[in-house]
Amino acid sequence: MNSLTQVIAAVSTPPGKDGVAIIRMSGEGAFEIADRVFFPISGRKFSECMPRTQIYGNIIEDGERIDDVLATRFPAPHSYTGEDTVEIGCHGGILVTRTVLEALLRAGAVPATAGEFTRRAFIGGRLSLTEAEAISDLLEAKTRDQLRLSGGDARGRLTAKIAEIRASLVSLMSSIYARIDYPDEDLGDFSDGEVRASLYNIKVECEKLLSTYRTGRAISEGIDTVICGKPNAGKSTLYNLLIGEDAAIVTDIPGTTRDVLTSSLPLGRVMLKIADTAGIRDSEDMDAVERIGVEKSRKMIKECELLFAIFDISRPFDEEDRLILEATRSVNVPKIALLNKADLPAVIDESAFTGFDEVIRISAKCGEAEAVQKLSNSVNRLFTDEKIVIGQDAIISSARQHASLSRCLDFVRAAIESLDLGFMQDAASSDVERALGAISELDGRSVSEEIVSDIFSRFCVGK
Ligand code: GDP
């Protein structure tokens, strides 16, 4: 990262041939740097032109015109970063864009690193850390729900909710400390009961927000899902159906899928990171490659977060089906039994499939739309809370947010416990202070440099 005293510049649009490209420059001195290379047609100096208005002019370096552009200046603090910022819209060719950027760099700017503009916005107090994370997710969004989750409304709701919890903790802390520091002052009554009630409200708010994580994570990060089943049960047919293309080879020959195929796809509101594994069997005729595939499948079953166990109900339940049931039984994650080939006469009864969260009949080959719908309903039931309105409610979605908020809740619970055990308010105060530390970590007020760097490294240069 560059020093905050430097003016940073970068191309903010993706590389490639396009209608226009945007080059962004930010920092104290950005307008002076622009004045060295950008000359408005009006003849006025750019730094003296109207702010937040597009100014037409030329980029000229050493007397040579590089491009005619539209440039806008955003004086601090009314810009994305909160610093003086210049945005130049030039023609979107690869070479012309690079040449304009290089002219700005030679005039005094330095190249921005990944996420540096947003990082400056965070440092300048324009964004909380959770808002910065949401912007990173917004850039990566592939589904409408991901977009809603990271959009402006949702970002604002989460920031407001965290600020509310933080403000309650600050108010509680200051009341407790005022009483400890000025025991003789008449500061009004603030009984243990009131401290407990206030802590209890904070606890409920933290729990409510924490309960949104399951839904938030399912939508934004996705659920590691494994399709398992004996050879020929229809794993690859289902995998291809879900991802919408013939990626896995479908044949009647057992052991066709030897390696693990993976893909990401939305199913209803949930994002699935799905893997089609080699069919699990234990047979003399398996070669070394198939054996490795089967071992890999067993390992993936143990590590996944959602299991689709697929069975062919048109054939009698056999030893291979039993192996699958055994392999899935020891896994403590949501499990869905898919009784496949429902278009053929069934010879296995549903009662054979115990221990699953859901048991659904599908035909991956002949009833595609219905199969996808049934599966989507089950997965959404298991991983999302229907009462949560995406885009409107405050929702946490990253492991970092979950960890900080859980820590905050633990300290709030510990403070309540101290009071319940009859300790004085000052005994609870250290836990309240730690809870405040944890929530400050969540919104980025007090967070390690390592975490901040990790978050901003996910951004592209120019954002
Ligand atoms: P895998 O070994 O578990 O991956 O099974 P495949 O997906 O390769 O399917 C094995 C065979 O079963 C293929 O011939 C598929 O066309 C067939 N198959 C898969 N699903 C269905 C289904 O729902 N109904 C019928 N009738 N055949 C299916």
Side-chain angles (χ1 to χ4, degrees), residues 268-329:
R269 303 209 292 184
V270 176
M271 200 72 193
L272 294 186
K273 292 186 275 185
I274 197 160
D276 176 20
T277 60
I280 291 185
R281 59 177 186 149
D282 195 5
S283 162
E284 292 292 311
D285 64 7
M286 288 200 297
D287 61 24
V289 180
E290 194 182 347
R291 271 186 203 284
I292 295 169
V294 169
E295 269 324 296
K296 224 168 160 180
S297 304
R298 286 186 183 279
K299 186 164 179 284
M300 292 195 77
I301 290 172
K302 282 198 191 117
E303 291 169 359
C304 72
E305 298 170 89
L306 168 64
L307 201 59
F308 292 160
I310 185 161
F311 300 91
D312 177 352
I313 51 161
S314 70
R315 287 167 189 267
F317 195 87
D318 59 17
E319 176 57 19
E320 287 178 344
D321 286 312
R322 203 195 52 75
L323 270 180
I324 296 294
L325 276 188
E326 196 184 280
T328 57
R329 223 157 246 151

Side-chain angles (χ1 to χ4, degrees), residues 227-240 248-257 276-279 310 312 314 339-344 362-367:
I227 304 177
C228 69
K230 71 177 179 185
N232 264 345
K235 297 178 296 299
S236 298
T237 307
L238 178 73
Y239 179 81
N240 289 345
I249 302 166
V250 174
T251 70
D252 286 332
I253 309 159
T256 308
T257 306
D276 176 20
T277 60
I310 185 161
D312 177 352
S314 70
L339 312 189
N340 192 34
K341 308 197 186 180
D343 55 293
L344 301 174
I362 59 163
S363 169
K365 191 175 174 183
C366 308

Side-chain angles (χ1 to χ4, degrees), residues 7-8 25-35 46 84-86 104:
V7 175
I8 52 170
M25 190 161 63
S26 177
E28 206 183 321
F31 301 151
E32 288 70 23
I33 292 176
D35 277 343
F46 175 61
D84 283 346
T85 299
V86 177
L104 294 173

Side-chain angles (χ1 to χ4, degrees), residues 18-21 56 66-69 89-97 100:
D18 223 324
V20 285
Y56 182 56
I66 298 169
D67 195 14
D68 55 327
V69 303
C90 67
H91 289 95
I94 298 172
L95 184 61
V96 66
T97 309
V100 172

